[in-house]
Amino acid sequence: MLVHALKYRQQLAIAPVLAELLLETIRHQQSTDQPDLVIPMPLHPKRLQERGFNQAIEIGRHLSQQLRIQFCHDSCKRIKNTLPQAELPWKMRRDNVKKAFICNQNLSGMHVAIVDDVMTTGATLNELANQLRKQGACRITNWIVTRAQKERFWMQSDYCF
């Protein structure tokens, strides 16, 4: 149990470092249109309990403080305990995360930034973005720490999602 706790404490300690690296890129690429709200990618409560923290919350909290943008870690929930996306082929990933999220905040006319640690195919981000649009978000920006090699995960026919 102690080794488990130490492992996660080490992973948690790197969140500000990852956030600073992402912040550098955001500041370099950002236009004057800054998001109104930062929302971290939600974890299912079971996964959160196993892990002990949500890395997207830790990274997003740091980003929102540095950029002085409102941070809302509880406006969206993952209601479906999905299989790990990394173990699934692309076509199954979309179905795996379908209806996995609910959002309970009115986002009418808002520009929302979703924060996540890793993106492979984008299926999870796309599904959360769909929920944000249903709540009225007019623009959605994805802030991702790292991107998996697309050659490994995508085939040419998979570019349209």
Side-chain angles (χ1 to χ4, degrees), residues 10-24:
Q10 289 171 339
Q11 290 176 346
L12 189 56
I14 199 164
V17 175
L18 295 175
E20 282 296 321
L21 292 170
L22 182 54
L23 183 60
E24 187 176 319

Side-chain angles (χ1 to χ4, degrees), residues 9 15 28 39 44 48 67 93 98 116-117 133 155:
R9 199 169 300 156
H28 180 71
I39 295 179
H44 188 271
L48 181 59
L67 294 169
R93 290 175 187 215
K98 195 153 203 86
D116 203 2
D117 58 341
R133 282 187 206 98
M155 297 183 334

Side-chain angles (χ1 to χ4, degrees), residues 62-131:
H62 187 81
L63 289 172
S64 67
Q65 288 171 350
Q66 294 299 311
L67 294 169
R68 293 181 174 86
I69 300 172
Q70 182 183 354
F71 179 70
C72 193
H73 72 280
D74 59 357
S75 62
C76 296
K77 308 271 186 229
R78 186 182 289 241
I79 57 171
K80 183 178 172 187
N81 191 13
T82 58
L83 295 170
Q85 292 285 83
E87 298 172 9
L88 299 173
W90 163 238
K91 292 187 190 292
M92 291 181 71
R93 290 175 187 215
R94 286 187 293 185
D95 290 339
N96 187 46
V97 294
K98 195 153 203 86
K99 297 183 181 178
F101 303 103
I102 59 167
C103 295
N104 58 17
Q105 184 169 345
N106 180 354
L107 303 171
S108 295
M110 295 181 87
H111 176 186
V112 178
I114 301 173
V115 175
D116 203 2
D117 58 341
V118 178
M119 176 182 165
T120 51
T121 62
T124 307
L125 289 162
N126 193 45
E127 186 64 26
L128 181 56
N130 287 336
Q131 291 303 311

Side-chain angles (χ1 to χ4, degrees), residues 29-46:
Q29 294 179 350
Q30 188 174 22
S31 67
T32 57
D33 187 20
Q34 183 164 287
D36 302 301
L37 183 66
V38 174
I39 295 179
M41 179 61 69
L43 289 178
H44 188 271
K46 185 175 180 181

Side-chain angles (χ1 to χ4, degrees), residues 47-58:
R47 181 74 172 125
L48 181 59
Q49 184 178 13
E50 290 170 2
R51 184 177 289 166
F53 68 97
N54 179 341
Q55 67 280 6
I57 287 177
E58 302 307 321

